[in-house]
Amino acid sequence: MSYSQLVDRFTQLHHFAHLGAICGWDRATMMPDGGNEARAAALAELSRLLHERLTAAEMSEWLAAAEQQELDAQARQSLVEMRRQWQQASVLPADLVQAKSLAGSRCEHAWREQRRNNDWQGFLGNFREVVALSREEARIRGAATGLRPYDSLLDLYEPGMRCQQLDQVFGDLQGWLPALIQAVCERQRDQHIQMPVGPFSIERQAELGRDVMAMLQFDFQRGRQDVSVHPFCGGVPSDVRITTRYDEADFTQSLMGIIHETGHARYEQGLPPSTLALPVGQARSMGIHESQSLFFEMQLARHPAFMQRLLPLIQRAFGAQPAFEAANLARLYTRVEPGFIRVDADEVTYPTHIMLRYEVEQKLIEGSIEAEDIPDLWAERMQQYLGLDTRGNYRDGCLQDIHWTDGSFGYFPSYTLGAMYAAQFAAALQRELGDFNQLLARSDGLEAVFGWLQRNIWQQASRFDTDTLVRQATGEVLNPAHFRAHLTQRYLD
Amino acid sequence: MSYSQLVDRFTQLHHFAHLGAICGWDRATMMPDGGNEARAAALAELSRLLHERLTAAEMSEWLAAAEQQELDAQARQSLVEMRRQWQQASVLPADLVQAKSLAGSRCEHAWREQRRNNDWQGFLGNFREVVALSREEARIRGAATGLRPYDSLLDLYEPGMRCQQLDQVFGDLQGWLPALIQAVCERQRDQHIQMPVGPFSIERQAELGRDVMAMLQFDFQRGRQDVSVHPFCGGVPSDVRITTRYDEADFTQSLMGIIHETGHARYEQGLPPSTLALPVGQARSMGIHESQSLFFEMQLARHPAFMQRLLPLIQRAFGAQPAFEAANLARLYTRVEPGFIRVDADEVTYPTHIMLRYEVEQKLIEGSIEAEDIPDLWAERMQQYLGLDTRGNYRDGCLQDIHWTDGSFGYFPSYTLGAMYAAQFAAALQRELGDFNQLLARSDGLEAVFGWLQRNIWQQASRFDTDTLVRQATGEVLNPAHFRAHLTQRYLD
Ligand SMILES: [Zn+2]
Ligand SMILES: [Zn+2]
């Protein structure tokens, strides 16, 4: 009885969230500038409604009563996920939520200009308030859950993940990754890569994108692809909206971007239809979500054997070029180069960007550093990990990301957890089905790959906690050794 | 105090309606088929929310209390419009609303196939239920307002309009329009029109559309134009979304369609910014809305003097053609031809399609005919008005429109009221500013025209009832003589 009331309420919330997802997508892809103010007000009203309905007085009663009901295993797990969402929403006082939202909007808005102007001091003025409110949030969440403050933020994005485990993971990475980067760079130093010669018309890039999405079995009956400044995967599972951006000088960015977002999209499109409205039917975590996009982009699409699949599509779009030769393309798509910017990083140097941010945000939330200490720590680690001097260059340093501007502390680790899960899934899949060289030589090889992901990840949604999901899929919980083995094999063997 | 509570509530409703408007637009323009079920559920949930909040218990208290408050004239009119919306929503029992919505959806859905198959008997099966529920609706609305049943439906679309007045208007039309149609057809019989030679690429038609919208001062910062099967004007005033459809064989359809929808759009974009969230700040009625689109399309764009403005844009899009000569284009755009299909009709024969529908739906709601009597009455009137035999051709006869399938009885008269108001506005404007021949020869002529509409219609929103609005703009209430004079002058002089 109470459980079915909860199902009704979450179904209602799901319908309202649908409207927000589509209008959010529209804002990024379709909306003219003049529509922004009214849209922001409409979406804010929706957020208030969702929060009200999720945290209404009857909800805690229904949850408590349902937990006393006789329920099957699936309903019990569903209830666990309902309580999680309820707890996360109801634990914060409304004043704090509003204050953080306001401070975050102000800081993010000013940051767009401040980043361009390399204006760290200006940024600090707003950012201190965001940090103070995020610390308060972490303290309250921690007190309610018994977690350490930073853990309580981490848990929002990666349920069950704790600093203790992350410290080990990143500590281990710190031990071998800098040396591996150096070795790869030395090895690639004299490598010759023939660069594709542009320009590549946006129309042809869009065609190539659609061809690749079709090959990757994106369901165009339940989704579409458009253009936005910052690529993302949005919409709803029955209608997934992915975006990309085009650069006429370089088609690789949009090509790999589309493959990445298609990974996110297939996870959403592959969720079980019967529970889409419930927390238990949604994607497991940000890290698992990123594992699917990175499986598509890094494990699959940058694999040398995948070039045989990509080549005909690239040639159909742009004609023949000497650069369009499988071995050359494979070299191009596995080029490693330390750089300042996280979003432009290759898969080998990418984790160093995350390690650095993890250390900074953890210390910031726990109070062992202050906002003004960030640039020095940043410069020190960039030197240590990548041999780059970032002193004074805030724009391409600690001002480069949007995440901290609105207080989304705890999000960054998901990227590297995603890369590690992707490597672990790829290893398990290849043990079961044969390695990618064999698989991709088979005409039904991609079907086999997607079938494995569908069975092991997509259709599981949030029916199990992350450790259980990963153990059922791969025989063990998170094991970063697979990521190390993947990098070593692809870049040093 | 109560009035400001009402303002807050209507502002909230406006924000929620914004989400529905954008998601509704998305459904018609962007959404893939597979997204339909979830979208329908989300929009239905939103309708329920809007209805709940609009008819909540406190609303009738607030309305009653506000009506005792000391308010200025503007707030008093605002309150009148608030009560109208509240009354229309709250008078129907929820069961009836739901039953009508279900019967309407079922009838409309089946109609799409039945129309193709000319299946009147199949349609009747569902349609009888829609008629029964609409009669019940009209009876309840009528009892609550003291209006005759059909008047109470008419009042939903055209506040203040009554059958008594419409009977006069259409009775008058019936007296002179058939003879005028005949005279025009005779006069045009030997007229030579050079037809533009296609195909006209969709890309070039889209460019032409954008050029025309820019000339008509559509604000692209607060709106956009896209493609849909059935053209419409949607979105929200700060972000108006108009659509068109393209036919490669004929660019006139999309060109005139875009001009028509731009008229609707400029009304929305011209509403006063400070009251967009309130009923008093919204468009006055469906008839006044249609008067703006028909002013743009019929009064302005099909005026011979407007060809000088259109020609350079048409030539830029499609190059030079013998058919692109001002006098020839003017003949093409004022060609009169009796036909079966309302939406394809010219401005001279269009009102006969409406007179016929008005007679049918009025009799149907008042109970003097039954659903099965429609085809005979239809055939009789089509013969009488346009000399066309429609017997047995339901597809192009009484099955052609969507309006009745979901029980939107009372809507059709708005089209012809719009045409009449448009003619009356054009006459008043030309008396004040000079006739279109003079005006369109001036480089600032269009600014003058739009300025008149802005002052007299757009910025008035619903601050006055329709009669007052029209009297202030033109010196008299609705006077169909202007429409007759317009047709006579354009087609017979
Ligand atoms: Zn991603
Ligand atoms: Zn219209």
Coordinates of all heavy atoms in Angstrom, one line a residue, chain A residues 12 15-16 18-19 22-23 25-26 29-35 38-39 41-43 45-46 48-49 52-53 220-224 238-239 241, chain B residues 12 15-16 18-19 22-23 25-26 29-35 38-39 41-43 45-46 48-49 52-53 220-224 238-239 241:
Chain A
Q12 N 5.0 10.3 -10.8 CA 4.7 11.7 -11.0 C 5.9 12.6 -11.2 O 6.0 13.4 -12.1 CB 3.8 12.1 -9.8 CG 3.1 13.4 -10.0 CD 2.4 13.9 -8.8 OE1 3.1 14.0 -7.7 NE2 1.1 14.1 -8.8
H15 N 7.5 12.2 -14.5 CA 6.8 13.0 -15.6 C 7.2 14.4 -15.5 O 7.5 15.0 -16.6 CB 5.3 12.9 -15.4 CG 4.8 11.5 -15.7 ND1 5.3 10.7 -16.6 CD2 3.7 10.8 -15.1 CE1 4.6 9.5 -16.7 NE2 3.7 9.6 -15.7
F16 N 7.3 15.0 -14.3 CA 7.7 16.4 -14.2 C 9.2 16.6 -14.6 O 9.5 17.5 -15.3 CB 7.5 16.9 -12.8 CG 6.0 17.1 -12.4 CD1 5.6 16.7 -11.2 CD2 5.2 17.7 -13.3 CE1 4.2 16.8 -10.9 CE2 3.8 17.9 -13.0 CZ 3.3 17.4 -11.7
H18 N 10.7 14.9 -16.8 CA 10.7 14.8 -18.2 C 10.6 16.2 -18.9 O 11.4 16.5 -19.7 CB 9.5 13.9 -18.7 CG 9.3 13.8 -20.1 ND1 9.2 12.6 -20.8 CD2 9.2 14.7 -21.1 CE1 9.0 12.8 -22.1 NE2 9.0 14.1 -22.3
L19 N 9.7 17.0 -18.4 CA 9.5 18.3 -18.9 C 10.8 19.2 -18.7 O 11.2 19.9 -19.6 CB 8.3 19.0 -18.3 CG 7.0 18.2 -18.4 CD1 5.9 18.9 -17.5 CD2 6.5 18.1 -19.8
I22 N 13.6 18.0 -21.2 CA 13.4 18.4 -22.6 C 13.7 20.0 -22.7 O 14.3 20.5 -23.6 CB 12.0 18.1 -23.1 CG1 11.9 16.5 -23.2 CG2 11.8 18.7 -24.5 CD1 12.9 15.8 -24.1
C23 N 13.1 20.7 -21.7 CA 13.3 22.2 -21.7 C 14.8 22.5 -21.4 O 15.3 23.6 -21.9 CB 12.4 22.8 -20.7 SG 10.7 22.8 -21.3
W25 N 17.4 20.6 -22.4 CA 18.0 20.3 -23.7 C 17.7 21.5 -24.7 O 18.6 21.9 -25.4 CB 17.4 19.0 -24.3 CG 17.8 18.8 -25.7 CD1 18.9 18.2 -26.2 CD2 17.0 19.1 -26.9 NE1 18.9 18.2 -27.6 CE2 17.7 18.7 -28.0 CE3 15.7 19.8 -27.0 CZ2 17.2 18.9 -29.3 CZ3 15.2 20.0 -28.3 CH2 16.0 19.5 -29.4
D26 N 16.5 21.9 -24.7 CA 16.1 23.0 -25.6 C 16.9 24.3 -25.4 O 17.3 24.9 -26.3 CB 14.6 23.3 -25.5 CG 14.1 24.4 -26.4 OD1 14.2 25.6 -26.1 OD2 13.6 24.0 -27.5
T29 N 20.3 23.9 -27.0 CA 20.4 23.6 -28.4 C 19.5 24.5 -29.3 O 19.9 24.7 -30.4 CB 19.9 22.1 -28.7 OG1 18.6 22.0 -28.2 CG2 20.8 21.1 -28.1
M30 N 18.4 24.9 -28.8 CA 17.4 25.6 -29.7 C 17.1 27.0 -29.2 O 16.8 27.8 -30.1 CB 16.1 24.8 -29.7 CG 16.2 23.4 -30.2 SD 16.4 23.3 -32.0 CE 17.2 21.8 -32.2
M31 N 17.0 27.3 -28.0 CA 16.5 28.5 -27.4 C 17.3 29.7 -27.9 O 18.5 29.8 -27.7 CB 16.5 28.4 -25.9 CG 15.7 29.6 -25.2 SD 16.0 29.5 -23.5 CE 17.7 30.1 -23.4
P32 N 16.6 30.8 -28.4 CA 17.3 32.0 -28.6 C 17.6 32.7 -27.3 O 16.9 32.5 -26.3 CB 16.3 32.8 -29.5 CG 15.0 32.3 -29.0 CD 15.2 30.8 -28.7
D33 N 18.6 33.6 -27.3 CA 19.1 34.2 -26.1 C 18.0 34.9 -25.3 O 17.9 34.8 -24.1 CB 20.1 35.3 -26.4 CG 21.5 34.7 -26.7 OD1 21.6 33.5 -26.5 OD2 22.4 35.4 -27.2
G34 N 17.1 35.6 -26.0 CA 16.0 36.3 -25.4 C 15.1 35.5 -24.5 O 14.3 36.0 -23.7
G35 N 15.1 34.2 -24.8 CA 14.2 33.3 -24.0 C 14.7 32.9 -22.7 O 14.1 32.2 -21.9
A38 N 12.9 33.9 -18.9 CA 11.6 33.2 -18.7 C 11.9 31.7 -18.5 O 11.3 31.0 -17.7 CB 10.7 33.4 -19.8
R39 N 12.8 31.1 -19.3 CA 13.1 29.7 -19.2 C 13.7 29.4 -17.8 O 13.4 28.4 -17.1 CB 14.1 29.3 -20.3 CG 14.5 27.8 -20.3 CD 13.3 26.9 -20.6 NE 12.7 27.3 -21.8 CZ 13.0 26.9 -23.0 NH1 14.0 26.1 -23.2 NH2 12.4 27.4 -24.1
A41 N 13.3 31.0 -15.0 CA 12.2 31.1 -14.0 C 11.3 29.8 -14.1 O 11.0 29.3 -13.0 CB 11.4 32.3 -14.3
A42 N 11.0 29.4 -15.3 CA 10.2 28.2 -15.4 C 10.9 27.0 -14.8 O 10.3 26.1 -14.1 CB 9.8 28.0 -16.8
L43 N 12.2 26.8 -15.1 CA 12.9 25.7 -14.6 C 13.1 25.7 -13.1 O 13.1 24.7 -12.4 CB 14.2 25.5 -15.3 CG 14.1 25.1 -16.8 CD1 15.5 25.1 -17.5 CD2 13.6 23.6 -16.9
E45 N 11.0 27.1 -11.0 CA 9.7 26.8 -10.4 C 9.5 25.2 -10.4 O 9.0 24.7 -9.5 CB 8.6 27.4 -11.3 CG 7.2 27.3 -10.7 CD 7.0 28.3 -9.5 OE1 7.2 29.5 -9.7 OE2 6.7 27.8 -8.4
L46 N 10.0 24.6 -11.5 CA 9.9 23.2 -11.6 C 10.8 22.5 -10.5 O 10.4 21.5 -9.9 CB 10.3 22.7 -13.0 CG 10.3 21.2 -13.2 CD1 8.9 20.6 -13.2 CD2 11.0 20.7 -14.5
R48 N 11.5 23.7 -7.7 CA 10.9 23.8 -6.4 C 9.7 22.8 -6.3 O 9.6 22.2 -5.2 CB 10.3 25.2 -6.3 CG 10.3 25.8 -4.9 CD 9.8 27.2 -4.8 NE 8.4 27.3 -4.7 CZ 7.7 28.4 -4.6 NH1 8.3 29.6 -4.5 NH2 6.4 28.4 -4.5
L49 N 9.0 22.6 -7.3 CA 7.9 21.6 -7.3 C 8.5 20.2 -7.0 O 7.9 19.5 -6.2 CB 7.2 21.6 -8.6 CG 6.1 20.5 -8.8 CD1 4.8 20.9 -8.0 CD2 5.7 20.3 -10.3
E52 N 9.6 20.0 -3.4 CA 8.4 19.9 -2.6 C 7.7 18.5 -2.5 O 7.4 18.0 -1.5 CB 7.3 20.9 -3.1 CG 7.3 22.2 -2.4 CD 6.3 23.1 -3.2 OE1 5.2 22.6 -3.7 OE2 6.6 24.3 -3.3
R53 N 7.5 18.0 -3.7 CA 6.8 16.7 -3.8 C 7.7 15.6 -3.3 O 7.2 14.6 -2.8 CB 6.4 16.4 -5.3 CG 5.4 17.4 -5.8 CD 4.0 16.9 -5.7 NE 3.0 18.0 -5.9 CZ 2.0 18.0 -6.8 NH1 1.8 17.0 -7.6 NH2 1.2 19.0 -6.8
F220 N 17.4 5.8 -33.3 CA 16.9 7.1 -33.7 C 15.4 7.2 -33.6 O 14.9 8.3 -33.7 CB 17.3 7.4 -35.2 CG 18.7 7.7 -35.4 CD1 19.7 6.8 -35.7 CD2 19.2 9.0 -35.2 CE1 21.0 7.1 -35.9 CE2 20.5 9.4 -35.3 CZ 21.4 8.4 -35.7
Q221 N 14.7 6.1 -33.3 CA 13.3 6.2 -33.0 C 13.1 6.8 -31.6 O 12.0 7.1 -31.2 CB 12.6 4.9 -33.1 CG 12.2 4.5 -34.6 CD 11.3 5.5 -35.2 OE1 10.2 5.8 -34.6 NE2 11.6 6.2 -36.2
R222 N 14.1 6.7 -30.8 CA 14.0 7.1 -29.4 C 15.2 8.1 -29.0 O 15.8 7.9 -28.0 CB 14.0 5.9 -28.5 CG 12.8 5.0 -28.7 CD 12.6 4.0 -27.6 NE 13.7 3.1 -27.6 CZ 14.3 2.7 -26.5 NH1 13.9 3.1 -25.3 NH2 15.4 1.9 -26.6
G223 N 15.5 9.0 -29.9 CA 16.5 9.9 -29.6 C 16.9 10.7 -30.9 O 16.5 10.4 -32.0
R224 N 17.7 11.7 -30.7 CA 18.2 12.5 -31.8 C 19.6 13.2 -31.4 O 20.0 13.1 -30.3 CB 17.2 13.6 -32.3 CG 16.6 14.4 -31.2 CD 15.6 15.4 -31.8 NE 16.3 16.4 -32.5 CZ 15.9 17.0 -33.6 NH1 14.8 16.6 -34.2 NH2 16.7 17.9 -34.2
S238 N 13.3 7.4 -23.1 CA 12.5 7.1 -24.3 C 12.8 8.1 -25.5 O 12.3 8.0 -26.6 CB 11.0 7.2 -24.0 OG 10.8 8.6 -23.5
D239 N 13.7 9.1 -25.2 CA 14.0 10.1 -26.2 C 15.3 10.8 -25.8 O 15.3 11.9 -25.2 CB 12.8 11.1 -26.2 CG 12.9 12.2 -27.3 OD1 13.9 12.2 -28.0 OD2 12.0 13.0 -27.3
R241 N 18.7 12.7 -26.1 CA 19.2 13.8 -26.9 C 20.7 14.0 -26.7 O 21.1 14.4 -25.6 CB 18.5 15.1 -26.5 CG 16.9 15.0 -26.5 CD 16.4 15.0 -27.9 NE 15.0 14.8 -28.0 CZ 14.0 15.7 -28.2 NH1 14.4 17.0 -28.2 NH2 12.8 15.4 -28.3
Chain B
Q12 N 3.0 31.4 -11.1 CA 3.5 30.0 -11.0 C 2.9 29.2 -12.1 O 3.6 28.4 -12.8 CB 3.0 29.5 -9.6 CG 3.7 28.2 -9.2 CD 3.0 27.7 -8.0 OE1 1.8 27.5 -7.9 NE2 3.8 27.4 -6.9
H15 N 4.7 29.8 -15.3 CA 6.0 29.1 -15.4 C 5.8 27.6 -15.8 O 6.5 27.1 -16.7 CB 6.7 29.1 -14.1 CG 7.2 30.5 -13.7 ND1 7.7 31.4 -14.7 CD2 7.3 31.1 -12.5 CE1 8.0 32.5 -14.0 NE2 7.8 32.4 -12.8
F16 N 4.8 27.0 -15.2 CA 4.5 25.6 -15.5 C 4.0 25.5 -17.0 O 4.4 24.6 -17.7 CB 3.5 25.0 -14.6 CG 4.0 24.7 -13.2 CD1 3.3 25.1 -12.1 CD2 5.3 24.1 -13.0 CE1 3.8 24.9 -10.8 CE2 5.8 23.9 -11.7 CZ 5.0 24.3 -10.6
H18 N 4.8 27.4 -19.4 CA 5.9 27.5 -20.2 C 6.5 26.2 -20.6 O 6.8 25.9 -21.8 CB 7.0 28.4 -19.5 CG 8.3 28.6 -20.2 ND1 8.8 29.8 -20.4 CD2 9.2 27.7 -20.7 CE1 10.0 29.7 -21.0 NE2 10.2 28.4 -21.2
L19 N 6.7 25.3 -19.6 CA 7.3 24.0 -19.8 C 6.4 23.2 -20.8 O 7.0 22.5 -21.7 CB 7.5 23.3 -18.5 CG 8.3 24.0 -17.4 CD1 8.3 23.2 -16.1 CD2 9.8 24.2 -17.9
I22 N 6.8 24.6 -24.5 CA 8.0 24.2 -25.2 C 8.0 22.7 -25.5 O 8.4 22.3 -26.6 CB 9.3 24.6 -24.3 CG1 9.3 26.1 -24.2 CG2 10.5 24.0 -25.0 CD1 9.5 26.9 -25.5
C23 N 7.5 21.9 -24.5 CA 7.5 20.4 -24.8 C 6.4 20.1 -25.8 O 6.6 19.1 -26.6 CB 7.3 19.7 -23.5 SG 8.7 19.7 -22.4
W25 N 5.7 22.1 -28.4 CA 6.4 22.5 -29.6 C 7.4 21.4 -30.0 O 7.4 21.0 -31.2 CB 7.1 23.8 -29.4 CG 8.1 24.2 -30.5 CD1 7.8 24.8 -31.7 CD2 9.5 23.9 -30.5 NE1 9.0 24.9 -32.4 CE2 10.0 24.3 -31.8 CE3 10.4 23.2 -29.7 CZ2 11.4 24.2 -32.1 CZ3 11.7 23.1 -30.0 CH2 12.2 23.6 -31.2
D26 N 8.1 20.9 -29.1 CA 9.1 19.9 -29.3 C 8.5 18.7 -29.9 O 9.0 18.0 -30.8 CB 9.9 19.6 -28.0 CG 11.0 18.5 -28.2 OD1 10.7 17.3 -28.2 OD2 12.1 18.9 -28.5
T29 N 7.8 19.2 -33.6 CA 8.9 19.6 -34.5 C 10.2 18.7 -34.3 O 10.9 18.6 -35.3 CB 9.4 21.0 -34.2 OG1 9.7 21.1 -32.8 CG2 8.3 22.0 -34.5
M30 N 10.4 18.2 -33.1 CA 11.7 17.6 -32.9 C 11.6 16.1 -32.4 O 12.5 15.3 -32.8 CB 12.5 18.4 -31.8 CG 12.8 19.8 -32.1 SD 14.1 19.9 -33.3 CE 13.8 21.5 -34.0
M31 N 10.6 15.8 -31.7 CA 10.5 14.5 -31.0 C 10.5 13.4 -32.0 O 9.6 13.4 -32.9 CB 9.3 14.5 -30.1 CG 9.2 13.3 -29.2 SD 7.6 13.3 -28.4 CE 6.6 12.7 -29.7
P32 N 11.3 12.3 -31.8 CA 11.1 11.1 -32.6 C 9.9 10.4 -32.1 O 9.5 10.5 -31.0 CB 12.4 10.3 -32.3 CG 12.8 10.8 -30.9 CD 12.4 12.2 -30.8
D33 N 9.3 9.5 -33.0 CA 8.1 8.8 -32.7 C 8.1 8.1 -31.4 O 7.1 8.1 -30.6 CB 7.8 7.8 -33.8 CG 7.2 8.5 -35.0 OD1 6.9 9.7 -35.0 OD2 7.1 7.8 -36.1
G34 N 9.2 7.4 -31.1 CA 9.3 6.6 -29.9 C 9.2 7.4 -28.6 O 9.0 6.8 -27.6
G35 N 9.3 8.7 -28.7 CA 9.2 9.5 -27.5 C 7.8 9.8 -27.1 O 7.5 10.4 -26.1
A38 N 5.8 8.6 -23.5 CA 6.3 9.3 -22.3 C 6.0 10.7 -22.3 O 5.7 11.3 -21.3 CB 7.8 9.0 -22.2
R39 N 6.1 11.4 -23.5 CA 5.8 12.8 -23.6 C 4.3 13.0 -23.3 O 3.9 14.0 -22.5 CB 6.1 13.3 -25.0 CG 5.8 14.8 -25.2 CD 6.8 15.7 -24.4 NE 8.1 15.3 -24.6 CZ 8.9 15.7 -25.6 NH1 8.4 16.6 -26.4 NH2 10.1 15.3 -25.7
A41 N 2.4 11.3 -21.4 CA 2.1 11.1 -20.0 C 2.6 12.3 -19.2 O 2.0 12.7 -18.3 CB 2.9 9.8 -19.5
A42 N 3.8 12.8 -19.6 CA 4.3 14.0 -18.9 C 3.4 15.2 -19.1 O 3.2 15.9 -18.1 CB 5.8 14.3 -19.4
L43 N 2.9 15.4 -20.3 CA 2.1 16.5 -20.5 C 0.7 16.4 -19.8 O 0.1 17.4 -19.4 CB 1.9 16.8 -22.0 CG 3.1 17.3 -22.8 CD1 2.9 17.3 -24.3 CD2 3.5 18.7 -22.3
E45 N 0.3 14.8 -17.0 CA 0.6 15.1 -15.6 C 0.6 16.6 -15.4 O 0.1 17.1 -14.4 CB 1.9 14.5 -15.2 CG 2.2 14.5 -13.7 CD 1.4 13.5 -13.0 OE1 1.4 12.3 -13.3 OE2 0.7 13.9 -12.0
L46 N 1.2 17.3 -16.3 CA 1.3 18.8 -16.2 C -0.2 19.4 -16.3 O -0.5 20.3 -15.5 CB 2.1 19.4 -17.4 CG 2.3 20.9 -17.3 CD1 3.1 21.3 -16.2 CD2 2.9 21.4 -18.6
R48 N -2.9 18.1 -15.3 CA -3.5 17.8 -14.0 C -3.0 18.8 -13.0 O -3.8 19.4 -12.2 CB -3.2 16.4 -13.6 CG -4.3 15.8 -12.8 CD -4.0 14.3 -12.5 NE -3.3 14.2 -11.2 CZ -3.0 13.1 -10.7 NH1 -3.3 11.9 -11.2 NH2 -2.3 13.0 -9.5
L49 N -1.7 19.1 -13.0 CA -1.1 20.0 -12.0 C -1.7 21.4 -12.2 O -2.1 22.1 -11.3 CB 0.4 20.1 -12.2 CG 1.1 21.1 -11.4 CD1 1.2 20.7 -9.9 CD2 2.5 21.4 -11.9
E52 N -5.3 21.5 -11.1 CA -5.3 21.4 -9.6 C -5.0 22.8 -9.0 O -5.7 23.3 -8.1 CB -4.2 20.5 -9.1 CG -4.7 19.1 -8.7 CD -3.5 18.2 -8.4 OE1 -2.5 18.7 -7.8 OE2 -3.5 17.0 -8.7
R53 N -3.9 23.4 -9.4 CA -3.5 24.7 -8.8 C -4.4 25.8 -9.2 O -4.6 26.7 -8.4 CB -2.1 25.0 -9.3 CG -1.0 24.0 -8.9 CD -0.3 24.5 -7.7 NE 0.4 23.4 -7.0 CZ 1.7 23.4 -6.7 NH1 2.5 24.4 -7.0 NH2 2.3 22.3 -6.1
F220 N 14.1 37.6 -33.8 CA 14.8 36.3 -33.8 C 15.5 36.1 -32.5 O 16.0 35.0 -32.2 CB 15.8 36.1 -34.9 CG 15.1 35.8 -36.2 CD1 14.8 36.8 -37.2 CD2 14.7 34.5 -36.6 CE1 14.2 36.5 -38.4 CE2 14.1 34.2 -37.7 CZ 13.8 35.2 -38.7
Q221 N 15.7 37.1 -31.7 CA 16.3 37.0 -30.4 C 15.2 36.4 -29.4 O 15.6 35.9 -28.3 CB 16.7 38.3 -29.8 CG 18.1 38.8 -30.3 CD 19.1 37.8 -29.9 OE1 19.3 37.5 -28.7 NE2 19.8 37.2 -30.9
R222 N 14.0 36.4 -29.8 CA 12.9 35.9 -28.9 C 12.0 35.0 -29.7 O 10.8 35.1 -29.6 CB 12.1 37.1 -28.3 CG 13.0 37.9 -27.4 CD 12.2 38.9 -26.6 NE 11.5 39.8 -27.4 CZ 10.2 40.2 -27.3 NH1 9.5 39.6 -26.3 NH2 9.7 41.0 -28.1
G223 N 12.6 34.1 -30.5 CA 11.8 33.2 -31.3 C 12.6 32.5 -32.3 O 13.7 32.8 -32.6
R224 N 12.0 31.5 -33.0 CA 12.6 30.8 -34.1 C 11.6 30.1 -35.0 O 10.4 30.1 -34.7 CB 13.6 29.7 -33.6 CG 13.1 28.8 -32.5 CD 14.2 27.8 -32.0 NE 14.4 26.9 -33.1 CZ 15.6 26.4 -33.5 NH1 16.7 26.8 -32.8 NH2 15.7 25.5 -34.5
S238 N 8.2 35.2 -24.8 CA 9.6 35.5 -24.8 C 10.4 34.7 -25.8 O 11.6 34.9 -25.9 CB 10.2 35.4 -23.4 OG 10.1 34.0 -23.0
D239 N 9.7 33.7 -26.3 CA 10.4 32.7 -27.2 C 9.4 32.0 -28.1 O 9.0 30.9 -27.8 CB 11.1 31.7 -26.3 CG 12.0 30.7 -27.1 OD1 12.0 30.8 -28.3 OD2 12.6 29.8 -26.4
R241 N 7.7 30.2 -31.1 CA 8.1 29.2 -32.1 C 7.1 29.1 -33.2 O 6.0 28.6 -32.9 CB 8.3 27.9 -31.4 CG 9.1 27.9 -30.1 CD 10.6 28.0 -30.5 NE 11.5 28.2 -29.3 CZ 12.2 27.2 -28.7 NH1 12.0 26.0 -29.1 NH2 13.0 27.5 -27.7

